[in-house]
Amino acid sequence: MPCLQEITQTAAYVAKELGLDSFFAEILPEQKANMIKSLQDQGKRAAMVGDGINDAPALVQANIGITIGAGTDIAVERMWS
């Protein structure tokens, strides 16, 4: 399992490569959907990348939800429920 520093460094690298102004990493699952909603309330669009298990609420809240790994089915089920 990667350490938190590696997760933040990876997120920073991906954000830079995509030309993003900001990114968030190391956020607890229950905080992710609220953070995305807060950005949307400011008129911003949000994309979320996650495994679909703990991230399902945030993936559904995001303007663009990108699931990776085996959690895709869980996120899709959550979206349609």
Side-chain angles (χ1 to χ4, degrees):
M1 176 174 217
C3 73
L4 295 178
Q5 182 180 5
E6 290 171 340
I7 293 168
T8 300
Q9 289 172 342
T10 301
Y13 175 81
V14 171
K16 182 180 177 186
E17 289 295 306
L18 294 174
L20 302 177
D21 296 331
S22 61
F23 72 93
F24 301 96
E26 302 175 37
I27 299 171
L28 296 174
E30 60 271 12
Q31 297 172 324
K32 293 175 185 178
N34 291 334
M35 180 162 283
I36 290 170
K37 174 122 177 46
S38 175
L39 291 169
Q40 291 168 329
D41 289 346
Q42 297 171 38
K44 298 178 181 179
R45 294 185 183 146
M48 169 68 189
V49 179
D51 63 15
I53 298 169
N54 293 326
D55 297 327
L59 289 162
V60 172
Q61 180 67 48
N63 299 89
I64 298 172
I66 304 163
T67 59
I68 55 175
T72 302
D73 293 338
I74 295 167
V76 169
E77 286 177 24
R78 174 75 187 241
M79 182 176 69
W80 294 111
S81 63

mmCIF file of all heavy atoms in Angstrom, residues 26-67:
data_model
loop_
_atom_site.group_PDB
_atom_site.id
_atom_site.type_symbol
_atom_site.label_atom_id
_atom_site.label_comp_id
_atom_site.label_asym_id
_atom_site.label_seq_id
_atom_site.Cartn_x
_atom_site.Cartn_y
_atom_site.Cartn_z
ATOM 1 N N GLU A 26 -5.874 12.504 -0.114
ATOM 2 C CA GLU A 26 -5.889 12.099 1.291
ATOM 3 C C GLU A 26 -7.122 12.601 2.037
ATOM 4 O O GLU A 26 -7.050 12.962 3.207
ATOM 5 C CB GLU A 26 -4.626 12.564 2.003
ATOM 6 C CG GLU A 26 -3.354 12.047 1.391
ATOM 7 C CD GLU A 26 -2.116 12.616 2.050
ATOM 8 O OE1 GLU A 26 -2.131 12.794 3.274
ATOM 9 O OE2 GLU A 26 -1.157 12.874 1.327
ATOM 10 N N ILE A 27 -8.266 12.611 1.378
ATOM 11 C CA ILE A 27 -9.512 13.062 1.991
ATOM 12 C C ILE A 27 -10.301 11.829 2.421
ATOM 13 O O ILE A 27 -10.399 10.855 1.673
ATOM 14 C CB ILE A 27 -10.326 13.915 0.997
ATOM 15 C CG1 ILE A 27 -9.519 15.143 0.612
ATOM 16 C CG2 ILE A 27 -11.663 14.313 1.601
ATOM 17 C CD1 ILE A 27 -10.122 15.934 -0.506
ATOM 18 N N LEU A 28 -10.874 11.873 3.581
ATOM 19 C CA LEU A 28 -11.669 10.752 4.070
ATOM 20 C C LEU A 28 -12.881 10.528 3.170
ATOM 21 O O LEU A 28 -13.453 11.492 2.637
ATOM 22 C CB LEU A 28 -12.129 11.013 5.502
ATOM 23 C CG LEU A 28 -11.018 11.119 6.548
ATOM 24 C CD1 LEU A 28 -11.585 11.524 7.894
ATOM 25 C CD2 LEU A 28 -10.274 9.788 6.659
ATOM 26 N N PRO A 29 -13.294 9.283 2.994
ATOM 27 C CA PRO A 29 -14.416 8.977 2.092
ATOM 28 C C PRO A 29 -15.666 9.801 2.376
ATOM 29 O O PRO A 29 -16.308 10.301 1.446
ATOM 30 C CB PRO A 29 -14.672 7.490 2.326
ATOM 31 C CG PRO A 29 -13.362 6.946 2.748
ATOM 32 C CD PRO A 29 -12.717 8.054 3.558
ATOM 33 N N GLU A 30 -16.007 9.978 3.635
ATOM 34 C CA GLU A 30 -17.236 10.713 3.965
ATOM 35 C C GLU A 30 -17.123 12.207 3.671
ATOM 36 O O GLU A 30 -18.130 12.911 3.618
ATOM 37 C CB GLU A 30 -17.643 10.474 5.416
ATOM 38 C CG GLU A 30 -16.625 10.889 6.448
ATOM 39 C CD GLU A 30 -15.620 9.789 6.815
ATOM 40 O OE1 GLU A 30 -15.540 8.760 6.130
ATOM 41 O OE2 GLU A 30 -14.896 10.001 7.801
ATOM 42 N N GLN A 31 -15.926 12.725 3.458
ATOM 43 C CA GLN A 31 -15.732 14.146 3.166
ATOM 44 C C GLN A 31 -15.711 14.447 1.663
ATOM 45 O O GLN A 31 -15.887 15.584 1.259
ATOM 46 C CB GLN A 31 -14.422 14.630 3.776
ATOM 47 C CG GLN A 31 -14.377 14.545 5.287
ATOM 48 C CD GLN A 31 -12.998 14.852 5.833
ATOM 49 O OE1 GLN A 31 -11.984 14.513 5.232
ATOM 50 N NE2 GLN A 31 -12.957 15.500 6.990
ATOM 51 N N LYS A 32 -15.490 13.437 0.848
ATOM 52 C CA LYS A 32 -15.278 13.650 -0.586
ATOM 53 C C LYS A 32 -16.499 14.236 -1.280
ATOM 54 O O LYS A 32 -16.392 15.223 -2.023
ATOM 55 C CB LYS A 32 -14.843 12.350 -1.259
ATOM 56 C CG LYS A 32 -13.479 11.892 -0.802
ATOM 57 C CD LYS A 32 -13.118 10.547 -1.378
ATOM 58 C CE LYS A 32 -11.798 10.060 -0.815
ATOM 59 N NZ LYS A 32 -11.434 8.732 -1.312
ATOM 60 N N ALA A 33 -17.678 13.656 -1.082
ATOM 61 C CA ALA A 33 -18.885 14.158 -1.741
ATOM 62 C C ALA A 33 -19.180 15.591 -1.307
ATOM 63 O O ALA A 33 -19.568 16.432 -2.124
ATOM 64 C CB ALA A 33 -20.083 13.252 -1.463
ATOM 65 N N ASN A 34 -18.979 15.893 -0.013
ATOM 66 C CA ASN A 34 -19.210 17.251 0.484
ATOM 67 C C ASN A 34 -18.246 18.245 -0.143
ATOM 68 O O ASN A 34 -18.632 19.371 -0.472
ATOM 69 C CB ASN A 34 -19.095 17.296 2.002
ATOM 70 C CG ASN A 34 -20.228 16.571 2.685
ATOM 71 O OD1 ASN A 34 -21.316 16.432 2.136
ATOM 72 N ND2 ASN A 34 -19.980 16.084 3.890
ATOM 73 N N MET A 35 -16.988 17.845 -0.313
ATOM 74 C CA MET A 35 -16.008 18.730 -0.933
ATOM 75 C C MET A 35 -16.391 19.011 -2.390
ATOM 76 O O MET A 35 -16.307 20.153 -2.851
ATOM 77 C CB MET A 35 -14.608 18.139 -0.855
ATOM 78 C CG MET A 35 -13.565 19.031 -1.495
ATOM 79 S SD MET A 35 -11.919 18.631 -0.966
ATOM 80 C CE MET A 35 -11.930 19.378 0.642
ATOM 81 N N ILE A 36 -16.816 17.980 -3.092
ATOM 82 C CA ILE A 36 -17.225 18.156 -4.490
ATOM 83 C C ILE A 36 -18.445 19.063 -4.570
ATOM 84 O O ILE A 36 -18.498 19.976 -5.393
ATOM 85 C CB ILE A 36 -17.494 16.786 -5.145
ATOM 86 C CG1 ILE A 36 -16.168 16.049 -5.326
ATOM 87 C CG2 ILE A 36 -18.223 16.946 -6.482
ATOM 88 C CD1 ILE A 36 -16.300 14.607 -5.728
ATOM 89 N N LYS A 37 -19.422 18.856 -3.688
ATOM 90 C CA LYS A 37 -20.613 19.711 -3.684
ATOM 91 C C LYS A 37 -20.234 21.153 -3.394
ATOM 92 O O LYS A 37 -20.776 22.079 -4.004
ATOM 93 C CB LYS A 37 -21.618 19.213 -2.652
ATOM 94 C CG LYS A 37 -22.818 20.104 -2.473
ATOM 95 C CD LYS A 37 -24.088 19.386 -2.735
ATOM 96 C CE LYS A 37 -25.332 20.207 -2.491
ATOM 97 N NZ LYS A 37 -25.363 21.535 -3.013
ATOM 98 N N SER A 38 -19.288 21.368 -2.493
ATOM 99 C CA SER A 38 -18.831 22.718 -2.175
ATOM 100 C C SER A 38 -18.230 23.394 -3.405
ATOM 101 O O SER A 38 -18.502 24.575 -3.676
ATOM 102 C CB SER A 38 -17.811 22.663 -1.040
ATOM 103 O OG SER A 38 -17.268 23.935 -0.794
ATOM 104 N N LEU A 39 -17.428 22.664 -4.160
ATOM 105 C CA LEU A 39 -16.865 23.213 -5.394
ATOM 106 C C LEU A 39 -17.970 23.537 -6.398
ATOM 107 O O LEU A 39 -17.947 24.591 -7.041
ATOM 108 C CB LEU A 39 -15.873 22.224 -6.005
ATOM 109 C CG LEU A 39 -14.581 22.000 -5.236
ATOM 110 C CD1 LEU A 39 -13.827 20.804 -5.804
ATOM 111 C CD2 LEU A 39 -13.716 23.246 -5.265
ATOM 112 N N GLN A 40 -18.936 22.650 -6.528
ATOM 113 C CA GLN A 40 -20.039 22.874 -7.460
ATOM 114 C C GLN A 40 -20.879 24.081 -7.036
ATOM 115 O O GLN A 40 -21.347 24.834 -7.885
ATOM 116 C CB GLN A 40 -20.900 21.618 -7.567
ATOM 117 C CG GLN A 40 -20.183 20.484 -8.258
ATOM 118 C CD GLN A 40 -20.893 19.156 -8.130
ATOM 119 O OE1 GLN A 40 -21.578 18.889 -7.134
ATOM 120 N NE2 GLN A 40 -20.726 18.300 -9.134
ATOM 121 N N ASP A 41 -21.064 24.261 -5.729
ATOM 122 C CA ASP A 41 -21.806 25.423 -5.227
ATOM 123 C C ASP A 41 -21.105 26.734 -5.562
ATOM 124 O O ASP A 41 -21.740 27.787 -5.606
ATOM 125 C CB ASP A 41 -22.010 25.319 -3.711
ATOM 126 C CG ASP A 41 -23.005 24.228 -3.319
ATOM 127 O OD1 ASP A 41 -23.741 23.728 -4.205
ATOM 128 O OD2 ASP A 41 -23.021 23.863 -2.124
ATOM 129 N N GLN A 42 -19.795 26.662 -5.815
ATOM 130 C CA GLN A 42 -19.022 27.840 -6.212
ATOM 131 C C GLN A 42 -19.038 28.029 -7.731
ATOM 132 O O GLN A 42 -18.332 28.877 -8.260
ATOM 133 C CB GLN A 42 -17.577 27.696 -5.748
ATOM 134 C CG GLN A 42 -17.400 27.615 -4.253
ATOM 135 C CD GLN A 42 -15.969 27.260 -3.882
ATOM 136 O OE1 GLN A 42 -15.012 27.708 -4.505
ATOM 137 N NE2 GLN A 42 -15.823 26.435 -2.854
ATOM 138 N N GLY A 43 -19.811 27.195 -8.425
ATOM 139 C CA GLY A 43 -19.900 27.287 -9.876
ATOM 140 C C GLY A 43 -18.809 26.525 -10.606
ATOM 141 O O GLY A 43 -18.642 26.678 -11.811
ATOM 142 N N LYS A 44 -18.067 25.705 -9.891
ATOM 143 C CA LYS A 44 -16.983 24.940 -10.509
ATOM 144 C C LYS A 44 -17.479 23.556 -10.886
ATOM 145 O O LYS A 44 -18.473 23.069 -10.362
ATOM 146 C CB LYS A 44 -15.797 24.830 -9.546
ATOM 147 C CG LYS A 44 -15.207 26.175 -9.196
ATOM 148 C CD LYS A 44 -14.081 26.053 -8.216
ATOM 149 C CE LYS A 44 -13.524 27.445 -7.882
ATOM 150 N NZ LYS A 44 -12.442 27.372 -6.925
ATOM 151 N N ARG A 45 -16.780 22.943 -11.806
ATOM 152 C CA ARG A 45 -17.047 21.560 -12.175
ATOM 153 C C ARG A 45 -15.985 20.693 -11.519
ATOM 154 O O ARG A 45 -14.840 21.088 -11.390
ATOM 155 C CB ARG A 45 -17.000 21.393 -13.692
ATOM 156 C CG ARG A 45 -18.116 22.148 -14.366
ATOM 157 C CD ARG A 45 -18.135 21.878 -15.825
ATOM 158 N NE ARG A 45 -19.183 22.677 -16.433
ATOM 159 C CZ ARG A 45 -19.122 23.192 -17.613
ATOM 160 N NH1 ARG A 45 -18.050 22.999 -18.357
ATOM 161 N NH2 ARG A 45 -20.120 23.886 -18.092
ATOM 162 N N ALA A 46 -16.409 19.497 -11.134
ATOM 163 C CA ALA A 46 -15.487 18.612 -10.420
ATOM 164 C C ALA A 46 -15.459 17.234 -11.061
ATOM 165 O O ALA A 46 -16.490 16.700 -11.446
ATOM 166 C CB ALA A 46 -15.896 18.499 -8.960
ATOM 167 N N ALA A 47 -14.259 16.685 -11.146
ATOM 168 C CA ALA A 47 -14.070 15.302 -11.562
ATOM 169 C C ALA A 47 -13.559 14.536 -10.356
ATOM 170 O O ALA A 47 -12.830 15.069 -9.526
ATOM 171 C CB ALA A 47 -13.077 15.207 -12.710
ATOM 172 N N MET A 48 -13.949 13.283 -10.267
ATOM 173 C CA MET A 48 -13.538 12.434 -9.157
ATOM 174 C C MET A 48 -13.006 11.126 -9.712
ATOM 175 O O MET A 48 -13.632 10.517 -10.580
ATOM 176 C CB MET A 48 -14.751 12.172 -8.263
ATOM 177 C CG MET A 48 -14.586 11.116 -7.221
ATOM 178 S SD MET A 48 -13.415 11.613 -5.940
ATOM 179 C CE MET A 48 -13.252 10.076 -5.059
ATOM 180 N N VAL A 49 -11.836 10.730 -9.232
ATOM 181 C CA VAL A 49 -11.267 9.440 -9.587
ATOM 182 C C VAL A 49 -11.207 8.618 -8.312
ATOM 183 O O VAL A 49 -10.679 9.070 -7.305
ATOM 184 C CB VAL A 49 -9.845 9.578 -10.178
ATOM 185 C CG1 VAL A 49 -9.274 8.213 -10.508
ATOM 186 C CG2 VAL A 49 -9.865 10.480 -11.407
ATOM 187 N N GLY A 50 -11.789 7.423 -8.355
ATOM 188 C CA GLY A 50 -11.780 6.588 -7.166
ATOM 189 C C GLY A 50 -12.025 5.136 -7.488
ATOM 190 O O GLY A 50 -12.291 4.772 -8.637
ATOM 191 N N ASP A 51 -11.981 4.317 -6.435
ATOM 192 C CA ASP A 51 -12.139 2.883 -6.628
ATOM 193 C C ASP A 51 -13.591 2.446 -6.663
ATOM 194 O O ASP A 51 -13.895 1.313 -6.985
ATOM 195 C CB ASP A 51 -11.373 2.095 -5.569
ATOM 196 C CG ASP A 51 -11.869 2.346 -4.151
ATOM 197 O OD1 ASP A 51 -12.974 2.893 -3.980
ATOM 198 O OD2 ASP A 51 -11.150 1.981 -3.223
ATOM 199 N N GLY A 52 -14.505 3.324 -6.365
ATOM 200 C CA GLY A 52 -15.919 3.006 -6.464
ATOM 201 C C GLY A 52 -16.514 2.404 -5.219
ATOM 202 O O GLY A 52 -17.723 2.334 -5.093
ATOM 203 N N ILE A 53 -15.721 1.952 -4.281
ATOM 204 C CA ILE A 53 -16.258 1.309 -3.083
ATOM 205 C C ILE A 53 -16.624 2.390 -2.061
ATOM 206 O O ILE A 53 -17.787 2.696 -1.878
ATOM 207 C CB ILE A 53 -15.264 0.279 -2.532
ATOM 208 C CG1 ILE A 53 -15.046 -0.817 -3.587
ATOM 209 C CG2 ILE A 53 -15.770 -0.321 -1.222
ATOM 210 C CD1 ILE A 53 -13.920 -1.750 -3.301
ATOM 211 N N ASN A 54 -15.642 2.968 -1.421
ATOM 212 C CA ASN A 54 -15.913 4.064 -0.488
ATOM 213 C C ASN A 54 -16.195 5.371 -1.217
ATOM 214 O O ASN A 54 -16.738 6.291 -0.632
ATOM 215 C CB ASN A 54 -14.719 4.275 0.456
ATOM 216 C CG ASN A 54 -14.508 3.122 1.384
ATOM 217 O OD1 ASN A 54 -15.449 2.475 1.814
ATOM 218 N ND2 ASN A 54 -13.266 2.840 1.688
ATOM 219 N N ASP A 55 -15.821 5.428 -2.470
ATOM 220 C CA ASP A 55 -15.925 6.667 -3.232
ATOM 221 C C ASP A 55 -17.245 6.832 -3.981
ATOM 222 O O ASP A 55 -17.457 7.844 -4.636
ATOM 223 C CB ASP A 55 -14.782 6.739 -4.254
ATOM 224 C CG ASP A 55 -13.424 6.781 -3.595
ATOM 225 O OD1 ASP A 55 -13.320 7.368 -2.497
ATOM 226 O OD2 ASP A 55 -12.478 6.246 -4.167
ATOM 227 N N ALA A 56 -18.129 5.858 -3.906
ATOM 228 C CA ALA A 56 -19.355 5.887 -4.705
ATOM 229 C C ALA A 56 -20.155 7.189 -4.545
ATOM 230 O O ALA A 56 -20.561 7.779 -5.551
ATOM 231 C CB ALA A 56 -20.219 4.670 -4.414
ATOM 232 N N PRO A 57 -20.409 7.693 -3.328
ATOM 233 C CA PRO A 57 -21.168 8.946 -3.216
ATOM 234 C C PRO A 57 -20.485 10.123 -3.921
ATOM 235 O O PRO A 57 -21.144 10.939 -4.574
ATOM 236 C CB PRO A 57 -21.260 9.189 -1.706
ATOM 237 C CG PRO A 57 -21.090 7.832 -1.098
ATOM 238 C CD PRO A 57 -20.139 7.114 -2.018
ATOM 239 N N ALA A 58 -19.175 10.213 -3.813
ATOM 240 C CA ALA A 58 -18.436 11.306 -4.450
ATOM 241 C C ALA A 58 -18.415 11.143 -5.965
ATOM 242 O O ALA A 58 -18.531 12.124 -6.703
ATOM 243 C CB ALA A 58 -17.012 11.383 -3.905
ATOM 244 N N LEU A 59 -18.292 9.922 -6.438
ATOM 245 C CA LEU A 59 -18.302 9.665 -7.883
ATOM 246 C C LEU A 59 -19.637 10.063 -8.483
ATOM 247 O O LEU A 59 -19.701 10.597 -9.598
ATOM 248 C CB LEU A 59 -17.998 8.197 -8.162
ATOM 249 C CG LEU A 59 -16.555 7.785 -7.900
ATOM 250 C CD1 LEU A 59 -16.446 6.267 -7.772
ATOM 251 C CD2 LEU A 59 -15.635 8.290 -8.993
ATOM 252 N N VAL A 60 -20.717 9.813 -7.767
ATOM 253 C CA VAL A 60 -22.049 10.187 -8.245
ATOM 254 C C VAL A 60 -22.231 11.698 -8.199
ATOM 255 O O VAL A 60 -22.813 12.295 -9.101
ATOM 256 C CB VAL A 60 -23.138 9.470 -7.420
ATOM 257 C CG1 VAL A 60 -24.524 9.985 -7.749
ATOM 258 C CG2 VAL A 60 -23.065 7.965 -7.665
ATOM 259 N N GLN A 61 -21.723 12.355 -7.164
ATOM 260 C CA GLN A 61 -21.854 13.808 -7.011
ATOM 261 C C GLN A 61 -21.057 14.568 -8.067
ATOM 262 O O GLN A 61 -21.471 15.627 -8.529
ATOM 263 C CB GLN A 61 -21.388 14.239 -5.617
ATOM 264 C CG GLN A 61 -21.468 15.728 -5.347
ATOM 265 C CD GLN A 61 -22.882 16.248 -5.305
ATOM 266 O OE1 GLN A 61 -23.728 15.665 -4.637
ATOM 267 N NE2 GLN A 61 -23.159 17.324 -6.011
ATOM 268 N N ALA A 62 -19.921 14.042 -8.460
ATOM 269 C CA ALA A 62 -19.022 14.738 -9.388
ATOM 270 C C ALA A 62 -19.656 14.916 -10.767
ATOM 271 O O ALA A 62 -20.502 14.126 -11.183
ATOM 272 C CB ALA A 62 -17.725 13.951 -9.527
ATOM 273 N N ASN A 63 -19.229 15.960 -11.462
ATOM 274 C CA ASN A 63 -19.657 16.152 -12.845
ATOM 275 C C ASN A 63 -19.132 15.033 -13.724
ATOM 276 O O ASN A 63 -19.802 14.600 -14.654
ATOM 277 C CB ASN A 63 -19.168 17.507 -13.371
ATOM 278 C CG ASN A 63 -19.731 18.653 -12.570
ATOM 279 O OD1 ASN A 63 -19.131 19.067 -11.582
ATOM 280 N ND2 ASN A 63 -20.895 19.140 -12.939
ATOM 281 N N ILE A 64 -17.927 14.590 -13.423
ATOM 282 C CA ILE A 64 -17.316 13.454 -14.114
ATOM 283 C C ILE A 64 -16.790 12.509 -13.048
ATOM 284 O O ILE A 64 -15.985 12.903 -12.209
ATOM 285 C CB ILE A 64 -16.151 13.889 -15.034
ATOM 286 C CG1 ILE A 64 -16.659 14.828 -16.117
ATOM 287 C CG2 ILE A 64 -15.468 12.670 -15.638
ATOM 288 C CD1 ILE A 64 -15.554 15.447 -16.942
ATOM 289 N N GLY A 65 -17.252 11.262 -13.063
ATOM 290 C CA GLY A 65 -16.791 10.249 -12.132
ATOM 291 C C GLY A 65 -16.018 9.178 -12.880
ATOM 292 O O GLY A 65 -16.529 8.604 -13.841
ATOM 293 N N ILE A 66 -14.798 8.938 -12.457
ATOM 294 C CA ILE A 66 -13.929 7.956 -13.110
ATOM 295 C C ILE A 66 -13.595 6.884 -12.085
ATOM 296 O O ILE A 66 -12.973 7.169 -11.068
ATOM 297 C CB ILE A 66 -12.632 8.623 -13.628
ATOM 298 C CG1 ILE A 66 -12.978 9.774 -14.569
ATOM 299 C CG2 ILE A 66 -11.723 7.591 -14.283
ATOM 300 C CD1 ILE A 66 -11.847 10.737 -14.808
ATOM 301 N N THR A 67 -14.050 5.659 -12.352
ATOM 302 C CA THR A 67 -13.757 4.579 -11.426
ATOM 303 C C THR A 67 -12.636 3.715 -11.967
ATOM 304 O O THR A 67 -12.500 3.517 -13.168
ATOM 305 C CB THR A 67 -14.988 3.691 -11.170
ATOM 306 O OG1 THR A 67 -15.437 3.143 -12.403
ATOM 307 C CG2 THR A 67 -16.092 4.475 -10.522
#
